[in-house]
Amino acid sequence: MVVDYKILHRSLILRVGDELDHHEAKKIKALTDTIFKKGTAKNIILDFTDTKFMDSAGIGMMIGRYKETDLHGGKLCIVNPSKSIERLVRISGLHTLVYQFRTMEEALKYV
């Protein structure tokens, strides 16, 4: 589940919960769609610090969020993914679309 979110410097920062599955991916999509319609953010930063599991729905959600940020001239970043999530990102080819950082400070400097 999305533990919390905030908007900072036109970046939507989402702290993802312990699992990113179909249900959570739908929630993240709905939340980001709402925020992008308001025009308050152009970047998305997904904080995976607490996330232990992600399935293909998470990959699909990130591809969709990449397209949304790209449409608004923004970037999609991930912060502190576990080794298993890092592997999924690489295997799926997402590493060519998203920017990966170890800390939130690094991600915020980049965007």
Side-chain angles (χ1 to χ4, degrees):
M1 81 184 204
V2 175
V3 175
D4 63 22
Y5 73 94
K6 63 184 171 185
I7 298 171
L8 187 61
H9 308 296
R10 301 236 20 221
S11 295
L12 170 60
I13 301 168
L14 293 159
R15 198 168 95 214
V16 182
D18 61 340
E19 293 188 1
L20 179 49
D21 58 12
H22 173 72
H23 299 291
E24 297 308 315
K26 281 177 61 174
K27 290 177 188 176
I28 290 172
K29 180 188 180 313
L31 175 64
T32 58
D33 284 349
T34 299
I35 289 171
F36 273 81
K37 281 180 186 170
K38 291 179 183 177
T40 55
K42 70 174 192 171
N43 304 301
I44 298 174
I45 302 173
L46 298 171
D47 183 351
F48 282 101
T49 300
D50 300 326
T51 311
K52 308 289 185 266
F53 172 81
M54 180 174 77
D55 64 14
S56 60
I59 297 291
M61 179 276 299
M62 285 199 287
I63 291 169
R65 299 309 82 201
Y66 163 77
K67 290 177 181 178
E68 190 70 24
T69 55
D70 191 52
L71 195 74
H72 290 90
K75 296 174 176 55
L76 175 63
C77 303
I78 60 174
V79 173
N80 200 23
S82 68
K83 293 291 181 196
S84 62
I85 291 173
E86 246 180 68
R87 192 169 353 111
L88 278 174
V89 167
R90 181 151 303 280
I91 289 170
S92 68
L94 264 174
H95 68 284
T96 63
L97 304 176
V98 303
Y99 299 90
Q100 182 175 321
F101 300 95
R102 284 283 150 219
T103 67
M104 186 59 65
E105 292 76 24
E106 291 173 353
L108 286 168
K109 274 185 184 178
Y110 183 76
V111 296

